[in-house]
Amino acid sequence: MPNPMPSQTGRTAPAPRSSGRPNQLFRNLNSKIALIPMMLVAAVVFFGGTVWTVIYSFTNSRLLPRASFVGFDQYERLWSASRWIISIQNLLVYGILSLIFSLVVGFVLAALMDQKIRFESAFRTIFLYPFALSFIVTGLVWQWILNPEFGVQGIVRSLGWTSFTFDPLYNPDIVIYGILIAGLWQGTGLVMCLMLAGLRGIDEDIWKAARVDGIPMWRTYLFVVIPMMRPVFITTLVLIGSGIVKLYDLVVAQTSGGPGNASEVPAKYVYDYMFQAQNLGQGFAASTMMLLTVAIIIIPWAYLEFGGKKRG
Amino acid sequence: MRIRAFAAVLAATAALPFAAQATDLEVTHWWTSGGEAAAVKELATAFDATGNKWIDGAIAGSGSTARPIMISRITGGDPMGATQFNHGRQAEELVQSGLMRDLSDVAEKGKWKDVIKPSSLLDSCTFEGKIYCAPVNIHSWQWLWLSNSAFEKIGVPVPKDWNEFVAAGPKLREAGLQPLALGGQAFQAAGLFDVLLISIGGRELYEKVYQDKDEETAAGPDMAKIFAAADEARKLAKGSNVQDWNQATNLVLSGKAGGQIMGDWAQGEFQQAGQVAGKDYTCLPGLGLNQVLTTGGDAIYFPLLEDEEKSKAQEVLAETIVDPKVQIAFNLKKGSVPVRGDVDLGAANDCMKKGIEIIARGDVAISTDQLVSADSQKQKEDLMSEFFAKESMTPQQAQERFAEIIGSAD
């Protein structure tokens, strides 16, 4: 059987220099036609679904959507619910810390890996392995590790330190850090791989030049290499960021929001209120708030990043 | 060769639907703990005996995990043959929007109106004069399960009511035992609170709060007593470190905990473990104080299907569920009370007999699932699970928020 061939039609023909300016609409017509289904999906499912959700967040829909509008009632209730406030705080703590730690740890690991060490691929595999596990599995594994009876605490106590206490998942004050540990363990490997790829993309000559100039290695990393790796950092940021916002399954597997509601997160609030409480309106209001938060962060950034320069 | 084997597998899987009978009926439920699974098997066997086939659609986790899946299947156009819900308002909107099947004919034929006791069960199946579900069993929440061996260990006679149990709490703690076992699932804390409310505060207070939804009563001094009791329970429950209710029951079973407040479905676990009521464990209905039981429980709802044969099978299943023999077999295993007043449970154990007696006496109240919407129930669950986990939250703060929830409840 003939193997499916890489189709020529989908490829971009060597683009003519932009000085030519043929009709923009018909440029790469084939690829545009091929994109139509995807564009339709994006328009109808993503955009349409979003608009629909926002509209229905102003209704008092319970189990089934119902177009009887009640103004901002759902939002008032949302912001007076202590569980929602706790969720937002948790997401902030988790988000900021996981952003900082996964970037720093990921980059340091990558930099160490880049020192032409032995068994590099073995280390790379080890660090990346957790990423192959789903959040549910990760959560269950860490639930056991952090379980006071069977996990770390149990082991240390059996070694003789009987007063040793380490039970983040059962202490409402620090439970979010227990979840953070699991999240970092799972995600840092991927960050490391991306960073490593970025580092490998840096021209060897830059290093040579820096060495000739007598710049210490850490300064070369900090002031030369990192700025050059900007695109990699942006990719990583987007990946980590979306991981933070949709944080749900890890919490469900590790604590299911407990103890009490100390480790609740917004995505879980949305799900619980939409389906368990059979109150779609409330769930929609919560998800609209999530969208708004993301938009507040993304839009100014995107404006700065893409807004100013208009490159044809 | 490979391809041929592959084709054979393909053919086999394609042939499968034809080999099976057309009257397969998928039944979804969340009866997954040991005692529950044994009870479902009785139901399935009885249904299979009618010439149809029970396709088991068990969904692990508690009802709060399972219900969203069931509801989204029904609203999403992929209805199962039949599904479990609790008595009450969980399926209310599904019925209102015409997604559920009217069982009035079956009910009339089986004279459900006369045999099903208490009648509030059938009332919560009824919408605009039509009957939409088949009640399976009666469950009550108001039980305190005690481990006899735990109290033997500390040399204290097994408590006869909640007050004695609270008094024995410190001694249990000293002996390295968990006084009160309470799992982390939110419904457990909320359920425990409701039990305290009706058992300590009495039926009138309970009805004032949940039926009349009277905000003033909820904020009043009578409720303050309940919150004080909940505060005591919270201290006794500290350190349970388990999630599921049956894990908590297991702590009592194995003598690691003094007691647990849990519905009578916990009975199934004791039975499954071969323990004897009165000897290995003790049960106190109404916490030994006010012996009033709420008559919640499970009912089977039938989504509206187009397939005629399946619709017929649905009728058969509805008849099977209410059948006296099936009622006995199912409820003995499950530890619940039959929905019929006219069956004899000679084989029931002491705890069940106590329950049946209380229900026959008419000391019953309507369950919160029937009185309060799922939305308000969830808000209450959120509050209670926070209160039980967060020691810095005072009973007064909790009561204030509780009153707000009751004030806006529907």
Side-chain angles (χ1 to χ4, degrees):
Chain A
M1 268 201 23
N3 280 324
M5 287 198 301
S7 86
Q8 285 293 329
T9 46
R11 288 265 183 91
T12 326
R17 289 281 159 122
S18 49
S19 54
R21 293 199 195 288
N23 191 340
Q24 287 291 322
L25 198 62
F26 294 109
R27 233 176 72 188
N28 299 336
L29 191 60
N30 286 340
S31 33
K32 277 180 183 155
I33 291 173
L35 268 177
I36 284 177
M38 187 56 213
M39 274 148 73
L40 276 180
V41 169
V44 175
V45 178
F46 296 139
F47 189 71
T50 307
V51 170
W52 189 88
T53 304
V54 173
I55 291 174
Y56 273 83
S57 73
F58 293 101
T59 67
N60 62 358
S61 306
R62 300 304 277 270
L63 179 62
L64 301 167
R66 191 166 48 186
S68 75
F69 291 89
V70 292
F72 281 94
D73 281 10
Q74 299 286 9
Y75 291 89
E76 266 169 41
R77 181 177 148 189
L78 182 70
W79 284 104
S80 62
S82 82
R83 179 176 158 180
W84 174 253
I85 307 288
I86 293 172
S87 306
I88 295 281
Q89 285 166 349
N90 278 339
L91 192 70
L92 272 181
V93 173
Y94 179 90
I96 293 171
L97 291 182
S98 108
L99 199 65
I100 295 172
F101 278 102
S102 43
L103 277 181
V104 171
V105 176
F107 184 78
V108 169
L109 280 178
L112 292 176
M113 206 75 87
D114 201 29
Q115 306 306 311
K116 308 209 166 56
I117 53 170
R118 262 193 220 194
F119 309 121
E120 188 202 310
S121 57
F123 282 116
R124 224 169 36 207
T125 314
I126 291 171
F127 287 129
L128 193 59
Y129 235 112
F131 190 70
L133 300 178
S134 72
F135 264 138
I136 292 288
V137 177
T138 311
L140 285 176
V141 168
W142 280 92
Q143 189 198 37
W144 286 331
I145 295 179
L146 298 177
N147 184 304
E149 269 162 63
F150 314 111
V152 179
Q153 179 181 317
I155 292 169
V156 175
R157 280 192 184 182
S158 69
L159 291 176
W161 288 277
T162 45
S163 62
F164 177 80
T165 315
F166 183 64
D167 57 347
L169 296 189
Y170 291 94
N171 182 344
D173 299 326
I174 54 170
V175 63
I176 195 68
Y177 303 103
I179 290 168
L180 180 68
I181 294 174
L184 287 179
W185 179 78
Q186 205 251 9
T188 316
L190 179 76
V191 177
M192 180 208 74
C193 264
L194 287 168
M195 295 287 169
L196 192 58
L199 284 176
R200 292 281 148 83
I202 303 285
D203 201 329
E204 196 67 17
D205 292 340
I206 304 246
W207 280 107
K208 284 180 190 155
R211 221 168 295 148
V212 168
D213 285 345
I215 304 171
M217 189 193 261
W218 64 272
R219 292 195 67 164
T220 319
Y221 268 122
L222 223 54
F223 296 111
V224 180
V225 174
I226 289 185
M228 287 180 76
M229 280 168 62
R230 189 188 158 87
V232 177
F233 270 93
I234 288 174
T235 311
T236 319
L237 222 68
V238 170
L239 283 179
I240 301 175
S242 66
I244 292 168
V245 175
K246 68 184 183 197
L247 175 66
Y248 171 79
D249 22 14
L250 195 58
V251 176
V252 169
Q254 259 188 299
T255 63
S256 60
N261 48 19
S263 60
E264 293 289 350
V265 285
K268 188 159 177 291
Y269 186 95
V270 173
Y271 177 84
D272 283 1
Y273 270 88
M274 271 166 82
F275 300 108
Q276 288 184 6
Q278 306 183 353
N279 189 338
L280 285 181
Q282 183 67 191
F284 289 158
S287 54
T288 307
M289 286 321 298
M290 285 176 73
L291 177 72
L292 200 65
T293 326
V294 173
I296 286 174
I297 298 170
I298 295 286
I299 289 175
W301 173 78
Y303 190 75
L304 283 178
E305 187 70 22
F306 306 111
K309 15 186 168 158
K310 280 226 167 108
R311 283 183 290 187
Chain B
M1 289 308 278
R2 272 263 179 97
I3 287 174
R4 201 168 284 178
F6 184 63
V9 171
L10 256 187
T13 46
L16 217 59
F18 299 107
Q21 282 190 358
T23 44
D24 285 357
L25 207 59
E26 187 191 2
V27 187
T28 52
H29 58 82
W30 60 88
W31 288 314
T32 48
S33 80
E36 291 174 335
V40 170
K41 212 165 160 234
E42 294 290 339
L43 204 52
T45 318
F47 183 61
D48 285 349
T50 62
N52 297 297
K53 196 157 183 312
W54 172 289
I55 307 289
D56 201 64
I59 301 170
S62 60
S64 44
T65 315
R67 281 192 294 272
I69 301 171
M70 294 165 175
I71 291 171
S72 60
R73 271 189 64 181
I74 296 169
T75 53
D78 176 31
M80 60 299 277
T83 184
Q84 173 198 9
F85 281 109
N86 290 124
H87 289 312
R89 301 174 56 180
Q90 290 165 350
E92 195 176 50
E93 278 197 54
L94 294 175
V95 172
Q96 282 171 6
S97 48
L99 289 165
M100 290 306 191
R101 187 176 164 199
D102 173 12
L103 290 173
S104 301
D105 297 343
V106 186
E108 210 160 294
K109 214 170 87 195
K111 299 201 177 63
W112 287 7
K113 279 216 167 71
D114 305 323
V115 294
I116 290 177
K117 292 267 165 18
S119 57
S120 69
L121 293 182
L122 209 55
D123 289 346
S124 61
C125 283
T126 311
F127 176 69
E128 289 180 347
K130 288 176 188 155
I131 291 168
Y132 287 91
C133 64
V136 185
N137 57 6
I138 303 171
H139 271 308
S140 46
W141 254 102
Q142 292 72 17
W143 296 84
L144 175 60
W145 306 96
L146 298 165
S147 159
N148 286 11
S149 73
F151 285 96
E152 229 165 73
K153 210 170 166 189
I154 60 165
V156 171
V158 179
K160 289 194 191 60
D161 61 34
W162 173 249
N163 300 328
E164 287 183 32
F165 176 76
V166 173
K171 276 206 161 173
L172 287 165
R173 196 62 95 190
E174 265 169 47
L177 299 171
Q178 174 68 32
L180 184 66
L182 174 69
Q185 291 167 322
F187 83 90
Q188 297 183 40
L192 191 154
F193 176 80
D194 290 342
V195 173
L196 293 176
L197 171 52
I198 196 168
S199 301
I200 297 175
R203 178 161 46 177
E204 262 176 50
L205 183 63
Y206 173 87
E207 280 172 356
K208 258 242 145 88
V209 172
Y210 286 131
Q211 195 158 17
D212 307 341
K213 299 172 181 93
D214 183 20
E215 191 172 348
E216 249 169 69
T217 314
D222 288 336
M223 278 308 289
K225 279 184 210 153
I226 309 298
F227 274 93
D231 188 35
E232 270 169 357
R234 166 167 80 167
K235 282 173 196 144
L236 296 173
K238 192 170 177 269
S240 296
N241 289 5
V242 288
Q243 274 295 322
D244 295 349
W245 67 266
N246 49 339
Q247 289 170 337
T249 309
N250 199 36
L251 288 178
V252 181
L253 260 172
S254 53
K256 282 186 202 142
Q260 181 192 19
I261 292 182
M262 183 46 62
D264 52 9
W265 47 91
Q267 166 101 341
E269 301 298 301
F270 287 100
Q271 200 128 334
Q272 194 80 6
Q275 297 209 344
V276 182
K279 195 168 125 267
D280 302 305
Y281 67 99
T282 303
C283 56
L284 298 176
L287 307 184
L289 300 168
N290 276 313
Q291 299 208 340
V292 178
L293 299 182
T294 53
T295 51
D298 304 297
I300 298 286
Y301 284 76
F302 299 88
L304 199 63
L305 297 179
E306 277 175 17
D307 188 331
E308 248 176 60
E309 280 189 43
K310 283 200 175 170
S311 299
K312 266 194 203 124
Q314 284 181 329
E315 282 173 23
V316 177
L317 179 59
E319 280 166 13
T320 314
I321 289 166
V322 186
D323 183 81
K325 270 190 221 134
V326 178
Q327 277 288 316
I328 293 177
F330 178 86
N331 287 303
L332 278 180
K333 288 266 164 67
K334 182 95 164 48
S336 48
V337 174
V339 294
R340 302 174 69 113
D342 60 349
V343 295
D344 178 37
L345 271 189
N349 66 27
D350 288 356
C351 284
M352 280 174 80
K353 277 186 185 145
K354 279 189 207 168
I356 294 168
E357 202 185 303
I358 293 170
I359 289 171
R361 210 162 62 206
D363 282 336
V364 290
I366 304 171
S367 77
T368 47
D369 280 329
Q370 283 159 286
L371 293 172
V372 182
S373 72
D375 186 31
S376 309
Q377 285 274 71
K378 182 78 201 161
Q379 283 178 289
K380 190 182 78 189
E381 271 182 17
D382 281 353
L383 169 64
M384 290 307 157
S385 66
E386 187 178 351
F387 177 68
F388 273 84
K390 197 161 128 194
E391 276 163 80
S392 60
M393 188 175 186
T394 65
Q396 286 79 17
Q397 287 170 337
Q399 189 177 0
E400 259 168 50
R401 276 176 52 192
F402 179 74
E404 266 171 42
I405 294 171
I406 293 300
S408 66
D410 54 352

